[in-house]
Amino acid sequence: MTDEPRLERNAEESRYELWLGDELAGTLKIADQQGATVLISTRVDPAFEGRGYGSQLVARALADARAAGEKVIVECEFAQAYLQRHPEQQDLVLAS
């Protein structure tokens, strides 16, 4: 498959989606909570694992939060691991 990944925020489904052509390869479930975006869970179809698609989903959610001047609340273990690898993004995390 040569299609470039397409990332979209699907507000109706409360998630970010990563598409490869017509296939939904991964999702990041989110929720809005008082000026913050809650990162709930990241899922990548097993057929597409190991290609960095989960990281692309989290990076997009963080970029959107930054652009909107919002913070994030991280419940997702994958997103927590991503943030450990990218400490420059820690300023987005709402302290609990």
Side-chain angles (χ1 to χ4, degrees):
M1 179 172 291
T2 60
D3 290 321
E4 287 293 316
R6 185 177 78 250
L7 287 160
E8 300 177 354
R9 182 174 178 157
N10 183 334
E12 289 181 14
E13 296 290 331
S14 298
R15 67 186 187 186
Y16 283 87
E17 300 173 338
L18 187 140
W19 293 87
L20 295 171
D22 294 335
E23 291 192 68
L24 180 60
T27 61
L28 170 56
K29 187 77 174 160
I30 59 169
D32 293 320
Q33 182 176 312
Q34 300 174 346
T37 300
V38 183
L39 308 180
I40 300 171
S41 65
T42 304
R43 301 279 183 258
V44 175
D45 184 300
F48 302 108
E49 287 180 346
R51 301 181 193 179
Y53 295 143
S55 292
Q56 289 181 40
L57 286 160
V58 173
R60 171 65 185 272
L62 295 174
D64 285 358
R66 187 175 299 284
E70 295 182 348
K71 296 288 187 180
V72 296
I73 298 168
V74 185
E75 295 178 357
C76 170
E77 290 181 16
F78 183 88
Q80 288 173 348
Y82 177 93
L83 284 160
Q84 288 177 349
R85 293 188 312 272
H86 298 275
E88 72 278 6
Q89 300 281 18
Q90 287 289 335
D91 64 309
L92 291 171
V93 178
L94 188 62
S96 50

